[in-house]
Amino acid sequence: MDTIATTEMDDNLLEVIARSLPNLRKSDRRVAEAILAEPSKMIEMTLAELARTAEVSEPTVIRFCSAIGCDGFRDMRVKLARSLAFARTTSHSAISTDDHLGAIIGKIFDFNLSNLNWVRSKLDPSAIATAVAALSKAKRIEFFGFGASAIVARDAQQKFPLFGVPCGAPTDGHQMFMTAAMLQAGDVAVAISNTGQTREVIQATRLARERGATTIGITGMDSPLLRYCDIGIVAETLENTDLYTPTISRLSAMVIIDILSTAVSLAQDDRHRERVADMKRHLAEMRMLGHY
Amino acid sequence: MDTIATTEMDDNLLEVIARSLPNLRKSDRRVAEAILAEPSKMIEMTLAELARTAEVSEPTVIRFCSAIGCDGFRDMRVKLARSLAFARTTSHSAISTDDHLGAIIGKIFDFNLSNLNWVRSKLDPSAIATAVAALSKAKRIEFFGFGASAIVARDAQQKFPLFGVPCGAPTDGHQMFMTAAMLQAGDVAVAISNTGQTREVIQATRLARERGATTIGITGMDSPLLRYCDIGIVAETLENTDLYTPTISRLSAMVIIDILSTAVSLAQDDRHRERVADMKRHLAEMRMLGHY
DNA sequence: TATTTTTATGTATTTTTACTACATAAATGG
DNA sequence: CCATTTATGTAGTAAAAATACATAAAAATA
């Protein structure tokens, strides 16, 4: 694990400009203000035009560029364009309530993105590797999830074409228990629980293991569930304030399922992948035509 | 329908380039390949340098620029920079069978992260605002989702404590249709479909609207579904290579649900939020003790 | 306050960069 | 195989960006 997608900041020039506004020379500030006022228009402008708009001379614009740490006007424009890609669409209608909403939107995205990044950095590739190996050999896969995690289990189950073997996701406790009881060597049980403390899931997992199935646990922290798992995948998320619903735990679990299913699918032979592609094509047609 | 969601697909220039690769002239393709190979280096290059790197003449580079719909080299560079802000490490490099697991993990995370970022930047806050207003006043909320989107609908339904009113998420087509038929003015139907073409969901939404309910559509693109929606929320994702399962569409829809539920919850009074906090505490205890 | 020094900004000029007109080469079609 | 179209490069032009220098403003010192 070496790549870390820096979510933002280092190339957010607009931010840099806004922050350095007070330290700028008078004329430079004029330029800064002109840019901040309508950034999207600025990137279409030429140096001379920008100078005219900001009512300063051309060299001033260039000096402004180096003042904010850019290597000339060209570089500034490129950095600005990058930064602009992140800028929210705050074009018009800035009502106060709307403004508040904007903050909520921003925070929730930020929260989920940075958490996903965190999960990635903490993820143990070797656990994934072992899990992929186990899943690739499985004759049958059952996903155990309860409550919020049931959604993830169902998501996983829907990816059965990628896994290439029958997949199940029993939802209620009894079904889960019965399913676990019917597993045997060669089968794999994937237990999903953010807290890792959900009784139903733990019991089902223990039983599945007793029956000889390989057990994989996907959880948000080190927890009781992992005691009954041959392979533990921990999707460690950052601390969670009360305001945020723990959507992130589901998101990260789903990304892990995405990784597992993709990796398993890639491990299979070409014919299998052809069948998957074929299936997708048919699904698309089916949707379009509107009948089954 | 008042969605805007300007489908500025040309914002994602890398995608445009990659896709138009086969239709390009031989020399132009050389330029395209040079850019795709190392986009981040290209934006630092001058026209002449790029021409040299791609081993073509300067006018060819300019012709390439207009071929992919840019207004000259300068414009191309700006658009490329924008696109690059999201593309991070690998967005367009498809996962291949010979990728090692570490690469797969990295690519899938990158893909989902940059896509989520893209969704955020394209999200129309005013649509969210209207949706929040409608949901806050709702007497009852029904989430319609089919297939993969059923998962999102269920996720939304599970957040009913935040919405503060009874929420449903009928899963099979008939139930969905019957539910829609029973809706009335004051109710809200939230239709979730990435393609926006799923027949069941469209029919249910149309019916719900006929019955007087307010209809909200969460979809991945401008689509037929939105015709029957009073409010359209478009979670525009980047183009999707075939090997990636469209997990991203579910992720982004879930984040949007997260935003909606949080915003609705915040709009309610303190007593409501206290009840939610209380409920969470009990849930935690329940899990620990292992009995109901 | 007057004078010097420093800093900020504009004018004029040069250099670089992007673009265009035209010519030649390659490809296509009859 | 020749005519016609299409693709690509050469050479030159327009433009944009950057620089050197000069002047104005401000700050510091006497």
Side-chain angles (χ1 to χ4, degrees):
Chain A
M1 274 312 337
D2 47 0
T3 42
I4 284 152
T6 44
T7 322
E8 223 166 324
M9 272 304 117
D10 25 286
D11 46 19
N12 194 350
L13 192 67
L14 278 173
E15 197 59 39
V16 173
I17 294 177
R19 223 193 315 253
S20 57
L21 208 73
N23 320 331
L24 291 175
R25 301 177 270 255
K26 220 175 5 199
S27 304
D28 286 8
R29 202 172 315 145
R30 280 243 228 44
V31 180
E33 276 157 6
I35 292 176
L36 289 176
E38 289 191 294
S40 52
K41 283 208 177 137
M42 291 310 140
I43 52 169
E44 317 227 288
M45 282 191 181
T46 162
L47 191 153
E49 287 171 324
L50 174 53
R52 200 140 28 77
T53 310
E55 294 178 304
V56 297
S57 70
E58 302 185 15
T60 297
V61 174
I62 292 184
R63 279 187 289 257
F64 160 81
C65 292
S66 40
I68 58 168
C70 291
D71 190 15
F73 181 77
R74 240 184 295 272
D75 185 46
M76 190 276 277
R77 183 157 49 183
V78 165
K79 292 215 173 105
L80 186 62
R82 268 183 171 230
S83 160
L84 215 62
F86 287 99
R88 333 275 172 263
T89 40
T90 50
S91 46
H92 49 79
S93 73
I95 321 162
S96 58
T97 47
D98 209 76
D99 222 310
H100 192 46
L101 183 67
I104 295 175
I105 295 175
K107 278 184 187 174
I108 290 184
F109 267 106
D110 278 343
F111 180 78
N112 285 314
L113 285 166
S114 51
N115 258 294
L116 228 38
N117 240 326
W118 184 259
V119 169
R120 164 206 246 169
S121 69
K122 291 288 176 182
L123 197 61
D124 175 15
S126 69
I128 300 279
T130 336
V132 169
L135 289 166
S136 297
K137 282 183 300 194
K139 286 200 275 293
R140 172 185 171 187
I141 307 173
E142 291 292 335
F143 296 94
F144 298 152
F146 211 73
S149 299
I151 285 160
V152 182
R154 181 141 297 277
D155 178 65
Q157 187 273 323
Q158 285 195 354
K159 288 184 195 294
F160 72 91
L162 291 174
F163 288 115
V165 293
C167 294
T171 36
D172 79 78
H174 290 164
Q175 278 196 8
M176 201 181 291
F177 200 77
M178 293 187 314
T179 306
M182 298 308 290
L183 291 178
Q184 46 189 307
D187 297 338
V188 173
V190 181
I192 303 156
S193 168
N194 183 45
T195 60
Q197 302 185 325
T198 317
R199 198 174 52 119
E200 283 82 355
V201 174
I202 293 178
Q203 286 181 336
T205 308
R206 185 171 56 185
L207 183 55
R209 196 191 207 181
E210 277 171 24
R211 291 293 190 262
T214 303
T215 53
I216 300 174
I218 301 178
T219 176
M221 57 205 76
D222 192 15
S223 60
L225 172 62
L226 295 181
R227 267 206 296 280
Y228 307 105
C229 294
D230 301 306
I231 303 156
I233 299 173
V234 179
E236 188 185 321
T237 51
L238 294 166
E239 208 49 47
N240 208 328
T241 68
D242 230 21
L243 248 179
Y244 297 105
T245 51
T247 296
I248 180 61
S249 63
R250 259 154 293 158
L251 295 186
S252 48
M254 280 170 71
V255 172
I256 287 171
I257 295 290
D258 200 10
I259 291 169
L260 291 176
S261 61
T262 306
V264 168
S265 173
L266 286 171
Q268 317 229 355
D269 58 24
D270 289 347
R271 276 221 344 280
H272 167 260
R273 278 199 301 285
E274 253 167 51
R275 281 202 305 276
V276 172
D278 211 54
M279 178 274 294
K280 283 188 180 173
R281 208 161 32 244
H282 279 88
L283 186 67
E285 280 169 17
M286 190 175 88
R287 234 189 317 247
M288 300 288 275
L289 296 172
H291 54 66
Y292 300 174
Chain B
M1 252 305 297
D2 59 355
T3 49
I4 299 101
T6 45
T7 322
E8 289 169 43
M9 203 48 200
D10 42 72
D11 262 16
N12 188 5
L13 194 67
L14 277 174
E15 196 58 43
V16 173
I17 295 177
R19 197 139 19 130
S20 56
L21 209 72
N23 319 330
L24 290 175
R25 300 178 270 255
K26 219 171 6 191
S27 303
D28 287 9
R29 200 170 320 142
R30 279 240 224 56
V31 180
E33 275 157 6
I35 292 175
L36 289 177
E38 288 190 295
S40 52
K41 286 209 174 136
M42 290 311 139
I43 52 170
E44 317 225 288
M45 282 191 181
T46 161
L47 191 153
E49 287 171 325
L50 174 53
R52 200 140 28 78
T53 309
E55 295 179 302
V56 297
S57 69
E58 300 185 14
T60 298
V61 174
I62 292 183
R63 279 187 289 257
F64 161 80
C65 292
S66 40
I68 58 169
C70 291
D71 191 15
F73 181 76
R74 244 183 293 271
D75 185 48
M76 191 277 277
R77 184 160 44 187
V78 165
K79 292 213 174 108
L80 186 62
R82 269 186 171 224
S83 162
L84 217 62
F86 293 96
R88 292 291 160 212
T89 32
T90 53
S91 89
H92 64 280
S93 68
I95 290 178
S96 61
T97 40
D98 48 307
D99 268 338
H100 269 326
L101 189 64
I104 294 176
I105 295 174
K107 281 182 181 181
I108 290 184
F109 267 105
D110 275 341
F111 181 78
N112 285 313
L113 285 166
S114 49
N115 257 295
L116 228 39
N117 236 326
W118 184 263
V119 169
R120 163 206 248 171
S121 73
K122 289 290 178 181
L123 198 61
D124 175 15
S126 69
I128 300 280
T130 335
V132 169
L135 289 166
S136 298
K137 283 183 300 195
K139 286 200 276 292
R140 169 183 172 190
I141 307 172
E142 292 291 336
F143 297 94
F144 298 153
F146 210 75
S149 299
I151 285 161
V152 182
R154 180 141 299 275
D155 178 64
Q157 188 273 325
Q158 287 195 354
K159 288 183 196 295
F160 72 92
L162 291 173
F163 288 114
V165 292
C167 294
T171 36
D172 79 78
H174 290 163
Q175 279 196 7
M176 200 181 292
F177 200 76
M178 294 186 316
T179 305
M182 299 307 290
L183 291 178
Q184 45 189 308
D187 297 338
V188 174
V190 182
I192 304 156
S193 168
N194 183 44
T195 60
Q197 301 186 325
T198 317
R199 199 173 52 117
E200 282 82 356
V201 173
I202 294 178
Q203 286 181 336
T205 308
R206 185 172 54 187
L207 183 55
R209 196 191 209 181
E210 277 171 22
R211 291 292 189 263
T214 303
T215 53
I216 300 174
I218 300 178
T219 176
M221 57 207 76
D222 192 14
S223 60
L225 173 62
L226 295 180
R227 267 206 295 281
Y228 307 105
C229 294
D230 301 306
I231 303 156
I233 298 173
V234 179
E236 187 186 318
T237 50
L238 295 167
E239 205 51 43
N240 206 330
T241 67
D242 229 22
L243 259 177
Y244 292 109
T245 51
T247 297
I248 180 60
S249 64
R250 259 155 292 158
L251 295 186
S252 49
M254 281 171 69
V255 172
I256 287 172
I257 294 289
D258 200 10
I259 290 168
L260 291 176
S261 60
T262 306
V264 168
S265 173
L266 286 172
Q268 317 230 354
D269 58 24
D270 289 348
R271 276 221 344 280
H272 168 260
R273 277 200 301 286
E274 252 168 51
R275 283 203 303 276
V276 172
D278 212 52
M279 178 274 293
K280 281 188 182 171
R281 208 162 31 245
H282 279 89
L283 186 67
E285 280 168 18
M286 189 175 89
R287 234 188 318 247
M288 300 286 277
L289 296 172
H291 55 69
Y292 302 174

